[in-house]
Amino acid sequence: MRSISKRLPDFSAVMAIGLLIQFIVGMVTNLFFSIPIIIPGTQSLSFWPKFWSVLNWSLSYSNPVLEGHSGLGVLLVPLSWFFVFVAHRAKSWRYIALGWIAALSMLFAAWNGILFLMDGQIALHSLWMALGFVISLAMYGVGLRMK
């Protein structure tokens, strides 16, 4: 059985593949499906109830491709924090730093993805979501090459 630190490049590969699938599904959603400007049932809600309603809508009541995109995001965010946990267990300071940057960037992307749906699809949220994705993907890409 390999030690934890020797599994981190494989974990980086899994995360990078998950992010690439997330990107492809997001692009398919963006190019071929329409998303309502105002998510049904959220017009009169304050911030946090609207936040959770929009997340629920994107996972359960939107088109299947957006549901897949949102569902994969909900899966990747906790996996990114599990990566940080594994890096801490391995006591690898490089993977710890990489994991924290990737996890925070992924959380930033997810946050802006929900804000994109909440605020009427403002392009700036899409830009921030993409930036978080790119930083996370770059970090996991670096993790593939580290020994």
Side-chain angles (χ1 to χ4, degrees):
M1 183 178 224
R2 296 188 310 169
S3 71
I4 293 173
S5 62
K6 291 195 169 136
R7 292 186 189 142
L8 286 166
D10 296 336
F11 200 170
S12 292
V14 168
M15 294 302 290
I17 290 167
L19 282 166
L20 289 172
I21 293 168
Q22 177 77 341
F23 173 74
I24 292 166
V25 174
M27 285 296 102
V28 168
T29 302
N30 185 37
L31 295 173
F32 301 112
F33 293 94
S34 63
I35 299 169
I37 297 295
I38 298 173
I39 305 303
T42 63
Q43 296 87 333
S44 62
L45 297 176
S46 60
F47 183 81
W48 287 110
K50 186 175 186 177
F51 181 90
W52 296 114
S53 293
V54 166
L55 179 60
N56 180 46
W57 177 85
S58 72
L59 290 167
S60 305
Y61 302 106
S62 62
N63 67 65
V65 180
L66 179 58
E67 289 175 0
H69 181 67
S70 299
L72 186 56
V74 167
L75 177 67
L76 286 172
V77 169
L79 277 176
S80 70
W81 292 106
F82 184 67
F83 184 95
V84 172
F85 172 76
V86 171
H88 276 281
R89 290 270 326 257
K91 296 179 175 65
S92 172
W93 66 269
R94 291 183 298 176
Y95 277 104
I96 291 169
L98 175 150
W100 272 99
I101 294 168
L104 289 172
S105 298
M106 197 175 304
L107 192 60
F108 181 73
W111 176 261
N112 279 284
I114 295 171
L115 291 179
F116 177 77
L117 293 174
M118 283 177 62
D119 294 341
Q121 301 170 26
I122 295 173
L124 186 60
H125 292 306
S126 184
L127 174 67
W128 292 128
M129 183 172 34
L131 182 65
F133 158 78
V134 166
I135 293 169
S136 291
L137 183 62
M139 290 297 101
Y140 291 121
V142 168
L144 287 168
R145 306 292 295 162
M146 290 191 328
K147 299 280 181 206

